[in-house]
């Protein structure tokens, strides 16, 4: 959750420039031809990346870009997606979601002292996806969301509190699944798989340098000692992984 996020990883920062091998843009249209009968190797991505889910851009939700002093930094690869909750109220109207995200940007910069919003994405209870940290939704932007593992992962936070009685909606769970499937597929990662990552800090779950075997779609608490993303959302993660594996945003 936002209130429990520690500062950025102490590990060596990622390169400030985006790797040259990174695709510059997603295709504007999906392939019209049916896939051939020849199966792809496990974990391979198609030559044309699947279309992204609909994502509300920073400009559309009204990000105050004057708060962001420094350009984003980029990862070599997104190996995992960590799921969070914002731990705020569940009583919001979805029309108010942009204002909630704007408030989190202000909090992360002015109170936490971060350069930008910590999460890469937000989802609200209506299933709407919002761009979080700047740098390109389809790019491997380094966030500040899962201490010890920011160098390998993207973070998505569901608006609301799922530890104290809140229940994630079906629309929210499907949106997280679709987003994770698309984001991981850009890097050839199966959303139902596991991955071994090296902790870049002492997280309360792992010590610096310790190997952590995690789901490619994990909860914040899997990597860091926290209640985030709340028990109800954490309990939904197995079904979210299954839905991600079946998502229309993954390559089949």
């Amino acid at each position: 959750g936002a209130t429990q996020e520690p500062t950025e990883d102490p590990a060596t920062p990622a390169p400030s420039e985006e790797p040259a091998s990174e695709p510059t843009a997603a295709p504007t249209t999906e392939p019209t031809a049916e896939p051939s009968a020849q199966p792809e190797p496990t974990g391979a991505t198609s030559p044309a990346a699947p279309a992204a889910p609909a994502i509300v851009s920073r400009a559309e939700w009204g990000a105050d870009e004057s708060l962001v002093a420094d350009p984003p930094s980029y990862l070599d690869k997104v190996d995992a997606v960590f799921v969070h909750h914002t731990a705020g109220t569940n009583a919001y109207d979805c029309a108010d979601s942009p204002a909630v995200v704007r408030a989190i940007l202000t909090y992360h910069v002015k109170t936490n002292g971060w350069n930008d919003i910590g999460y890469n994405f937000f989802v609200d209870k209506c299933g709407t996806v919002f761009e979080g940290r700047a740098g390109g939704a389809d790019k491997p932007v380094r966030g500040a969301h899962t201490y010890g593992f920011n160098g390998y992962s993207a973070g998505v936070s569901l608006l609301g509190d799922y530890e104290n009685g809140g229940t994630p909606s079906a629309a929210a769970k499907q949106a997280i699944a679709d987003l994770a499937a698309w984001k991981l597929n850009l890097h050839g990662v199966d959303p139902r798989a596991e991955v071994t990552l090296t902790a870049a800090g002492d997280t309360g779950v792992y010590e610096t340098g310790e190997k952590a075997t995690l789901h490619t779609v994990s909860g914040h608490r899997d990597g860091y000692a926290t209640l985030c993303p709340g028990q109800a959302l954490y309990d939904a993660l197995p079904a979210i992984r299954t839905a991600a594996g079946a998502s229309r945003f993954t390559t089949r």
Side-chain angles (χ1 to χ4, degrees):
T3 57
Q4 301 156 322
E5 293 288 347
T7 55
E8 303 258 14
D9 281 357
T12 304
S16 58
E17 294 186 2
E18 195 174 350
S21 60
E22 195 61 31
T24 55
T28 54
T29 57
E30 291 186 279
T32 53
E34 284 295 314
S36 67
Q38 183 68 29
E40 288 188 276
T42 302
T45 53
S46 64
I55 299 172
V56 178
S57 71
R58 289 170 65 92
E60 289 168 333
W61 59 256
D64 180 358
E65 300 296 0
S66 70
L67 292 171
V68 182
D70 299 318
S73 57
Y74 293 88
L75 311 177
D76 292 331
K77 181 183 180 184
V78 175
D79 291 291
V81 169
F82 283 96
V83 178
H84 304 255
H85 69 162
T86 62
T89 179
N90 296 315
Y92 63 91
D93 292 326
C94 291
D96 297 328
S97 296
V100 174
V101 175
R102 289 195 296 270
I104 293 170
L105 169 59
T106 301
Y107 179 83
H108 281 188
V109 173
K110 293 192 172 180
T111 301
N112 289 2
W114 299 343
N115 182 58
D116 191 358
I117 211 160
Y119 306 113
N120 298 99
F121 301 96
F122 293 90
V123 171
D124 72 8
K125 62 188 175 184
C126 292
T128 302
V129 179
F130 298 84
E131 180 184 11
R133 180 164 287 211
D138 61 339
K139 303 295 189 290
V141 177
R142 183 188 177 101
H145 50 82
T146 306
Y147 181 78
F149 299 99
N150 287 324
Y152 313 103
S153 62
V156 53
S157 194
L158 180 57
L159 301 186
D161 186 336
Y162 300 94
E163 182 65 29
N164 299 296
T167 302
S169 67
K173 290 184 286 188
Q174 187 64 51
I176 293 169
D178 286 340
L179 177 66
W182 166 73
K183 189 68 178 174
L184 291 170
N185 183 72
L186 292 173
H187 300 273
V189 176
D190 186 337
R192 298 159 296 186
E194 291 186 334
V195 64
T196 299
L197 304 173
T198 303
D202 294 342
T203 72
V205 178
Y206 297 99
E207 296 179 354
T208 304
E210 189 175 351
K211 301 288 187 185
T213 298
L214 300 161
H215 292 283
T216 56
V217 178
S218 281
H220 187 186
R221 65 173 65 177
D222 290 325
Y224 183 80
T226 175
L227 293 176
C228 183
Q231 193 63 49
L233 182 52
Y234 189 78
D235 288 346
L237 290 180
I240 287 171
R241 292 181 198 112
T242 299
S247 172
R248 65 191 175 93
F249 295 105
T250 57
T251 300
R252 294 188 186 68

